[in-house]
Amino acid sequence: MLRINSSKEYIMTRSEWSLIALLGTAFLISRYDFALMSLALPDIQRDLGIAEQELGQFVGYTRLGALAALPLALLADFAGRRRLLMATIAGFTACTIGTAFAQTPEQFILLQTIARAFTSADEILSAIMILEMVATARRGIAIGILAAFGGLGDGLASAAYPLSTYFEDGWRTLYLLAAIPILPLIYARRFLKESVKFAAAQSTGLNIFSAAKQMLRDKKRMVAVVALAITYHLPISAGLAFMSKYLQESCSYSSGNVALLFLIGGSVALTGNLLGGYLTDKIGRRIGFAFFSIILCAGFHGFYGASCQIAPYAWVVALTGVFATHAIFLTITGELFPTIGRVTVSAICQAFAAIALVAGLFLESQLYTLLGSHAAAITFLLPSFLIAAFIALTMVPETGSKELTEI
């Protein structure tokens, strides 16, 4: 039974705010890197000489890095969250700097694939740290705030993208500049404390092997979160990756107009993270995820399937759905399994999500050949969001307002 908490229980403590700010700042920078690739995709395509029919596959290969987050997650369940959070941010910094100097599509793919491994692991670990160290009544909104930092990264990329025209190296300079604020963050993370729940679980003698046995016994729960990960992520990468390209080539937007839309519209859509987190603390994770999945589907359909006049408004709706569902997905996958093994299961879900992201992009490439446009190909994939909403409502256990040990 879902419990309704008093309003005071939703007020963050100072230590919780400090934790969210420290982890969220890195979230911001990694999302900047992710969003920059979508914004600058036409420039990267021209600079590296990528054929139009190969563009979806090019983007897809870079998303495979999330698969490599799995071994990093295994280390986190053995050695602790804090140590891995130090390693992930350092690895991401090195790859971001390297991306600025990529000369071929293969070099770009390799560097961004490795970067994605570190950022995916960092995202998982950050979400788990929040879930394990924030009070029960505030877990959803805390993840929403963490994800909102990522939304700020999208906004920062939107603000920075027009500046690429003033730099001789264009998009390369923007990747290089991203590494500068990460350096003090590496130092600041030295003061992170280990997750209290992880330390407590270790002290009772629990280990990853006993957690694995428990997870294997609950096959239905594992099947549910994997199915949710696949159906939710299948259309989303293609939908996001081609937004800038669609606006510039189909709607005749300049790069400055695209950046302005992303900045203003993204600021409005950013409320999706906070709204999604708050509502799921109030009404539950399943209903919240299903509702925003439908919103997401409708927004993408309006963006790619309607007129260019409607596209800006549909984009805001779609991005609001993206932000909200992303925050809720991180919360669900982080809450459903035991402390020892929680990061590993979240990484397994992210691995299946990465496979779905890549499959969606490869499928988009094939559909582009058949249908003749990226918009038509992406629209064809959108019903998968509705399947994800159905899975959330019917197969995923409710975790809202429950202690992690109770779940």
Side-chain angles (χ1 to χ4, degrees):
M1 179 72 116
L2 191 65
R3 295 191 292 268
I4 304 299
N5 304 290
S6 67
S7 58
K8 290 184 179 180
E9 288 183 283
Y10 293 99
I11 300 174
M12 296 285 176
T13 66
R14 180 176 297 180
S15 62
E16 288 172 346
W17 275 119
S18 298
L19 177 66
I20 293 170
L22 182 56
L23 297 175
T25 308
F27 221 78
L28 182 155
I29 297 166
S30 67
R31 281 298 308 178
Y32 166 92
D33 180 273
F34 191 90
L36 183 59
M37 182 176 175
S38 295
L39 283 163
L41 188 60
D43 307 321
I44 296 168
Q45 180 184 10
R46 286 192 298 268
D47 195 6
L48 300 181
I50 304 163
E52 188 69 28
Q53 66 271 19
E54 296 175 355
L55 197 57
Q57 296 179 26
F58 170 78
V59 177
Y61 283 126
T62 65
R63 303 295 191 253
L64 282 173
L67 295 174
L70 185 54
L72 292 173
L74 285 168
L75 289 174
D77 276 333
F78 274 109
R81 287 52 165 139
R82 180 183 174 276
R83 293 179 183 177
L84 265 294
L85 280 167
M86 293 289 294
T88 52
I89 195 169
F92 167 65
T93 305
C95 292
T96 300
I97 294 172
T99 299
F101 299 96
Q103 298 300 311
T104 66
E106 292 76 19
Q107 291 175 7
F108 186 97
I109 288 169
L110 177 62
L111 288 161
Q112 278 295 290
T113 298
I114 299 172
R116 200 64 55 224
F118 285 117
T119 56
S120 294
D122 192 88
E123 180 177 302
I124 294 165
L125 288 165
S126 296
I128 296 303
M129 283 285 280
I130 296 295
L131 292 173
E132 292 181 348
M133 297 185 72
V134 171
T136 299
R138 301 187 285 272
R139 288 199 308 256
I141 186 62
I143 292 294
I145 296 169
L146 180 70
F149 273 93
L152 291 174
D154 291 329
L156 182 61
S158 301
Y161 177 52
L163 300 177
S164 63
T165 58
Y166 297 99
F167 299 123
E168 184 178 350
D169 291 325
W171 60 269
R172 298 177 185 277
T173 302
L174 298 183
Y175 272 103
L176 198 58
L177 291 174
I180 295 174
I182 306 180
L183 299 176
L185 278 176
I186 296 175
Y187 177 79
R189 280 198 177 181
R190 293 173 62 249
F191 302 102
L192 265 178
K193 296 180 180 179
E194 183 55 84
S195 161
V196 175
K197 285 186 170 60
F198 177 79
Q202 276 196 321
S203 68
T204 61
L206 289 175
N207 56 60
I208 187 68
F209 302 109
S210 59
K213 290 180 181 178
Q214 182 175 338
M215 288 182 285
L216 287 172
R217 285 197 296 268
D218 197 352
K219 295 182 180 68
K220 288 183 179 179
R221 184 174 293 193
M222 197 70 199
V223 168
V225 294
V226 167
L228 188 69
I230 292 171
T231 53
Y232 168 60
H233 287 92
L234 185 70
I236 204 166
S237 191
L240 292 173
F242 287 94
M243 279 182 155
S244 176
K245 183 178 176 64
Y246 175 76
L247 288 171
Q248 291 184 57
E249 296 182 0
S250 298
C251 298
S252 302
Y253 277 48
S254 67
S255 60
N257 288 336
V258 171
L260 184 63
L261 171 61
F262 276 47
L263 185 61
I264 297 174
S267 300
V268 176
L270 194 61
T271 58
N273 285 315
L274 306 178
L275 185 61
Y278 177 76
L279 283 179
T280 57
D281 278 335
K282 287 282 190 178
I283 65 174
R285 316 301 192 215
R286 299 189 303 175
I287 295 174
F289 186 88
F291 172 75
F292 283 108
S293 292
I294 295 169
I295 294 293
L296 170 58
C297 183
F300 271 131
H301 192 276
F303 183 86
Y304 287 108
S307 67
C308 287
Q309 285 73 27
I310 295 175
Y313 308 103
W315 182 83
V316 174
V317 173
L319 204 63
T320 300
V322 169
F323 287 156
T325 50
H326 179 61
I328 302 169
F329 179 79
L330 287 175
T331 307
I332 289 172
T333 54
E335 288 177 335
L336 274 173
F337 296 92
T339 298
I340 300 292
R342 181 170 290 127
V343 179
T344 300
V345 173
S346 293
I348 290 171
C349 290
Q350 288 291 350
F352 277 100
I355 293 170
L357 289 173
V358 175
L361 286 161
F362 275 73
L363 187 55
E364 192 279 337
S365 290
Q366 299 303 313
L367 289 169
Y368 170 81
T369 303
L370 291 173
L371 301 176
S373 77
H374 291 296
I378 292 166
T379 303
F380 189 88
L381 298 173
L382 295 181
S384 187
F385 287 129
L386 303 180
I387 298 173
F390 177 78
I391 291 171
L393 287 173
T394 60
M395 295 176 62
V396 176
E398 180 57 63
T399 60
S401 299
K402 295 180 180 179
E403 293 289 344
L404 293 179
T405 50
E406 180 185 353
I407 299 167

